[in-house]
Amino acid sequence: MDNVPPPAEELATIDRELRQLDARRAQLLARRAWLLNVLRSPALAPPAPARPFAAPSAETSPPSVQNLLLTLGGILLAVAAIAFTLVSWGSMGIGGRSAVLFTVTAAALGTPVVLLRRGLASTAESLAALGLLLMVLDAYALHRVALPDTDGPGYAAVASAALAGLWTAYGLSLPRLRTPLPVAVLTAQLPLPLWSLAAGPLDVPLEWALLLTAALDVVLVVRTKPAVLRGFAGAGAVLTGGWALVIGGWQSLTAATAFAAAGPAVLLVAAAAVALFTAWRLPSWAVALSAVAGLAAVAGIGGVIRATVPDGWAMTGYLLCAIALLVSLRAPLPRHLLPGLTAASAAVHAAALLSALPLVAVALAGPARALTDIWSGSPAGVREALGGPLPVQPLTPVPIILLVAAAVAAVASFRPARAASAAHAGDGDESARPPVTPGDAGPAAGPWSDAPGAPGDRTAPGSEPDGSAWGQTWDAARSAKAGPSRESLRAGAAAGALALVWAALLVVPAVAGFGYAAGVAWQLALSVGLLALAVLRPGADARGAAVAITALVCGLGGAVSVGLLALATEPATLTVLGVLVVGLAGAALRAGRSVQTVLACAAVLFTIGLVWASVAAGGLPSHRSAVALLVVPAAVGLLGARLGRHPVALPVEITSASAGFVALGLAAGDRPSIALVLALCGVIAAGAAVRAERRPAAGYLAATLFVLATWVRLAASEVEAPEAYTLAVTVPALVVGVLRRRRDPQASSWTAYGPGLAATLVPSLVAAWGDEHWLRPLVLGGAALGVTLLGARLRLQALLVLGGTVLALDALHELAPYVVQVVGALPRWLPPALAGVLLLAVGATYEQRLRDARRLRDTLGRMH
């Protein structure tokens, strides 16, 4: 019979046996490791023969001792060689000098060959390093004796080049030595810069010498395989190339004419080419290097434009170069270069926007200076209304920069139709792409290959080229999973475009020198238009929602700014606030739920300002205007009663409560007016408490406001015995509370008895603290004690808390003089000592708790 199992069953059997083998192998390896540990343990080692004196245990390993000895020996020999060259050189003849130097150098460089054959690599490494140092001393001695009149930098350039070549040959001939080749790479950084410093007809500028050195380092990085050499060469390229960029950038910024800026421009463009080539060949560094390349190219070409255009327009030239860099990305560049180049262009755009930011900030926040001098008269123009000299000169480039950046952001927010291919369906869904088998390189490999991971990888397998620089950049970011989705990028670009357009239009009155009335009208129309856009712009997709939110934020910011700007004159204030109130209210009626609350709250705030301005225009004093402001929360309360549980109702009512704070501020100089404002606020809160959804919070607020109004009124009337007035309120209030509790046993004691008790106890407590006699504190303490005991007997929280608090504070008032005397008699060191003892006690308790926790953990760990 054929007993061969089915393939699925046979596969399961094989997997099960493999798992058993792996488990057995793991057990054997663990046992082996334990046995090795036992054999190496000093406790289980064979006993050593008895000795009179036991040798101390070794504290360092043999390799460490060896390396230390070799290092110290090399250092001592190097010191001796330097001392011989610098000190004892003149005491020997020319023959002796040559013989000594040649013999010692040849011995130091030849001995490693023998040592390497015998396996002494570390010793050979030390002697080779000594030989390299001796070659430097040989070069120095040759200059001092044979060529003393030679130019120092020129000789150093030739010597460093010769040494770099010799050390390279020496390192290649002895590949087991690790020192010569890295030292040769470091020495190769010196010849060209030193040559540029030498005085001669064929010298080159230092920046070009540095750039050529960096280019040679790049070739070494690309062509060599050892990681150590590539690291040293890369460090040299960064150092020399960065120095060349700094020199070229400074020369470009300080060039007075376009002809003078042409040389640095050529240098920076060449440096950009070197960086771009390196980025192409090293994909892991592509983003940083391509960004440096983009910035260098913009700095070079923009520097020529800067030297050509008038003062103040330089940033515009750099911005145009950044846009040209974006346009150049439409060329068939390797895909991994696009993020860095786009980042370089974005950095230049950001710098241009930063140059325009001061004027935008002044145009937006400058009108706040009117708060210190309201209705002082119409300024001559918008510039005068902004308060002094503007921070940017000239002004014309600022709106141009903002509009150009807005145009770039607007273009970035739209994607060409041909980019919406099936390969990008799902916007980041990698499952839609066909799998790539290992070793499948697709088309012919090369720098422009479409193979995954190739330096020129431009598109993902199975996808079509976008055709847009923006789309390619976003595809690269998406495939690398290193950035947000394309839809969010488009939405952010659209929002940024709108914000930049608003900023450009905001500074137009200051740039064009508008008159005051024209400037106010311009900003008012701009704010109303943005609010209308926030309401009418559909937000079905992410881009529409971003535009609507940006329009809302900019519109509200502009509304606050124009409201402040209008404070210079009375007619402007009334007109602007009226238009803003109508516009915000109308926008709130048309808006969706997401922005309706914000617009409604803003309308309430501007309504408060409009009512205040209207009352102030009538000539009423401030404490009378405070009462008129309460019309706003009263009207909003009526509106809230009609809205019911609408989501807008609660935020709008809370916002209208700010009118009460403003009214209290206006009435701060008149106590009767403060009492009246508090009482009216209590009436408004009591009206809100009629509604079931507002009853708990509004009820407590109304009671508190009424009590505060009573206290303030008593203080304003200079009443010395407040009990004569408060008891008349407390008694009927407590009666009403008792009746309330009989009808509704579930009613809180704070609602039933709290307002009545507080109406007498709190004013009496305040009076007792200022009373020097003993009668009132005694009577108040007795009453508070009775209330406390009654609360304990009936288990009523309000009576307990109010009575106990008043009793404690009254007792503290009586004991306060004695406490002060005792504290004055104590030595000054005692409070810190007591604090220290307390901290030690807390620390000891904390440590004990930790010890108990550790003991519990150990006990649980021992359980099975």
Side-chain angles (χ1 to χ4, degrees):
M1 295 178 63
D2 188 5
N3 294 326
V4 177
E9 183 179 350
E10 184 178 2
L11 180 61
T13 303
I14 293 175
D15 290 340
R16 183 166 56 254
E17 293 179 356
L18 288 175
R19 284 194 297 269
Q20 293 176 356
L21 290 175
D22 291 339
R24 182 58 180 168
R25 174 180 172 81
Q27 293 176 357
L28 293 176
L29 288 176
R31 182 66 180 176
R32 180 178 182 275
W34 182 82
L35 291 174
L36 289 175
N37 188 27
V38 169
L39 292 176
R40 293 171 182 172
S41 176
L44 300 180
R51 294 181 181 181
F53 300 99
S57 59
E59 297 182 351
T60 58
S61 62
S64 300
V65 176
Q66 167 193 307
N67 294 333
L68 177 62
L69 294 177
L70 292 176
T71 302
L72 290 176
I75 292 174
L76 292 177
L77 289 176
V79 171
I82 295 174
F84 170 76
T85 304
L86 298 180
V87 179
S88 302
W89 183 259
S91 61
M92 300 181 65
I94 186 63
R97 300 172 189 173
S98 302
V100 169
L101 280 176
F102 178 79
T103 302
V104 174
T105 304
L109 295 176
T111 305
V113 179
V114 180
L115 295 176
L116 288 175
R117 293 176 180 174
R118 297 187 178 183
L120 302 176
S122 299
T123 307
E125 198 77 50
S126 300
L127 289 178
L130 176 62
L132 301 181
L133 177 62
L134 288 174
M135 293 181 69
V136 176
L137 296 177
D138 291 343
Y140 168 76
L142 180 62
H143 178 262
R144 290 292 303 272
V145 175
L147 304 170
D149 298 331
T150 307
D151 179 61
Y155 177 80
V158 175
S160 59
L163 289 175
L166 292 175
W167 291 343
T168 301
Y170 185 70
L172 293 176
S173 61
L174 298 175
R176 295 179 60 186
L177 295 178
R178 295 173 294 177
T179 303
L181 289 179
V183 174
V185 172
L186 293 179
T187 308
Q189 313 300 315
L190 301 177
L192 291 178
L194 291 175
W195 179 33
S196 67
L197 297 177
L202 298 179
D203 56 346
V204 297
L206 176 61
E207 59 273 13
W208 279 103
L210 292 170
L211 182 59
L212 291 176
T213 304
L216 295 176
D217 290 331
V218 168
V219 174
L220 191 61
V221 170
V222 173
R223 296 297 182 184
T224 56
K225 292 183 178 181
V228 176
L229 290 184
R230 298 182 64 176
F232 278 96
V238 171
L239 181 62
T240 55
W243 194 0
L245 286 175
V246 170
I247 296 175
W250 177 255
Q251 291 176 350
S252 178
L253 289 175
T254 56
T257 62
F259 180 78
V266 175
L267 173 71
L268 292 173
V269 171
V274 173
L276 202 61
F277 171 79
T278 310
W280 169 51
R281 296 303 302 269
L282 300 177
S284 59
W285 292 89
V287 176
L289 291 174
S290 57
V292 171
L295 290 175
V298 171
I301 301 174
V304 177
I305 300 176
R306 181 202 61 80
T308 305
V309 299
D311 293 338
W313 289 85
M315 188 54 69
T316 307
Y318 288 111
L319 183 59
L320 294 177
C321 293
I323 295 173
L325 178 62
L326 281 180
V327 174
S328 67
L329 297 184
R330 297 182 63 88
L333 294 174
R335 182 184 177 191
H336 60 279
L337 300 181
L338 299 179
L341 295 175
T342 306
S345 179
V348 178
H349 280 74
L353 294 179
L354 286 177
S355 68
L357 185 60
L359 183 58
V360 177
V362 169
L364 187 62
R369 64 180 292 272
L371 291 172
T372 60
D373 198 7
I374 298 176
W375 294 353
S376 59
S378 177
V382 174
R383 295 180 182 178
E384 290 74 13
L386 295 179
L390 298 178
V392 179
Q393 295 294 336
L395 301 177
T396 306
V398 173
I400 295 177
I401 289 174
L402 294 171
L403 289 176
V404 170
V408 174
V411 172
S413 65
F414 293 95
R415 180 186 177 190
R418 62 175 177 173
S421 59
H424 299 309
D427 209 8
D429 186 7
E430 299 293 335
S431 62
R433 297 178 177 175
V436 181
T437 58
D440 184 9
W448 299 92
S449 172
D450 289 339
D457 187 16
R458 293 166 47 195
T459 56
S463 65
E464 295 294 330
D466 194 337
S468 167
W470 300 98
Q472 293 180 24
T473 303
W474 289 329
D475 287 343
R478 183 193 61 189
S479 63
K481 298 182 180 179
S485 65
R486 179 184 302 173
E487 186 66 23
S488 62
L489 288 174
R490 287 204 301 264
L498 179 60
L500 292 173
V501 171
W502 168 70
L505 296 178
L506 184 68
V507 301
V508 165
V511 173
F514 281 12
Y516 176 72
V520 172
W522 176 277
Q523 292 199 24
L524 181 60
L526 180 60
S527 300
V528 173
L530 284 172
L531 293 175
L533 179 62
V535 175
L536 301 177
R537 180 71 170 89
D541 57 348
R543 184 165 53 187
V547 169
I549 293 174
T550 305
L552 177 64
V553 173
C554 295
L556 292 177
V560 174
S561 179
V562 72
L564 295 174
L565 185 63
L567 292 178
T569 64
E570 178 182 327
T573 302
L574 296 174
T575 302
V576 169
L577 291 179
V579 172
L580 289 176
V581 168
V582 174
L584 288 169
L589 294 176
R590 292 290 305 273
R593 292 289 182 87
S594 58
V595 298
Q596 191 176 44
T597 301
V598 177
L599 291 173
C601 294
V604 171
L605 291 176
F606 280 100
T607 302
I608 295 173
L610 178 61
V611 172
W612 168 83
S614 301
V615 175
L620 292 179
S622 297
H623 62 279
R624 299 298 181 189
S625 302
V627 178
L629 282 180
L630 300 180
V631 174
V632 178
V636 172
L638 295 176
L639 178 62
R642 184 174 180 82
L643 292 175
R645 298 183 181 275
H646 194 279
V648 179
L650 181 59
V652 168
E653 292 181 48
I654 294 175
T655 304
S656 67
S658 61
F661 295 100
V662 177
L664 288 175
L666 293 175
D670 188 75
R671 289 185 179 180
S673 298
I674 295 177
L676 180 59
V677 169
L678 289 173
L680 292 176
C681 290
V683 172
I684 296 173
V690 175
R691 298 153 54 192
E693 67 272 11
R694 301 285 186 264
R695 184 167 300 156
Y700 291 129
L701 179 61
T704 303
L705 290 173
F706 282 135
V707 172
L708 288 176
T710 303
W711 297 342
V712 173
R713 185 61 212 181
L714 292 175
S717 301
E718 299 181 355
V719 175
E720 297 181 357
E723 295 83 2
Y725 299 90
T726 57
L727 286 175
V729 177
T730 297
V731 173
L734 292 178
V735 172
V736 173
V738 171
L739 296 176
R740 170 73 183 279
R741 291 272 296 180
R742 286 183 178 179
R743 293 185 178 181
D744 184 11
Q746 301 299 326
S748 172
S749 62
W750 288 100
T751 305
Y753 308 121
L757 291 175
T760 295
L761 291 178
V762 176
S764 298
L765 179 63
V766 174
W769 269 78
D771 194 349
E772 299 179 355
H773 302 285
W774 58 272
L775 182 59
R776 175 180 277 118
L778 178 62
V779 175
L780 178 62
L785 178 60
V787 171
T788 304
L789 294 176
L790 184 61
R793 176 70 179 80
L794 300 178
R795 297 181 181 180
L796 298 177
Q797 187 183 54
L799 276 66
L800 276 173
V801 173
L802 285 175
T805 303
V806 172
L807 180 61
L809 292 176
D810 185 68
L812 180 62
H813 170 263
E814 295 302 308
L815 293 177
Y818 304 102
V819 173
V820 171
Q821 293 178 4
V822 172
V823 172
L826 291 176
R828 294 187 176 181
W829 55 266
L830 187 57
L834 294 177
V837 171
L838 176 62
L839 292 176
L840 288 176
V842 173
T845 304
Y846 183 72
E847 184 180 8
Q848 180 63 35
R849 297 295 179 269
L850 289 179
R851 187 182 299 112
D852 295 342
R854 294 192 191 97
R855 187 179 297 112
L856 177 61
R857 183 193 61 188
D858 296 339
T859 303
L860 292 176
R862 289 192 296 268
M863 292 182 179
H864 295 286

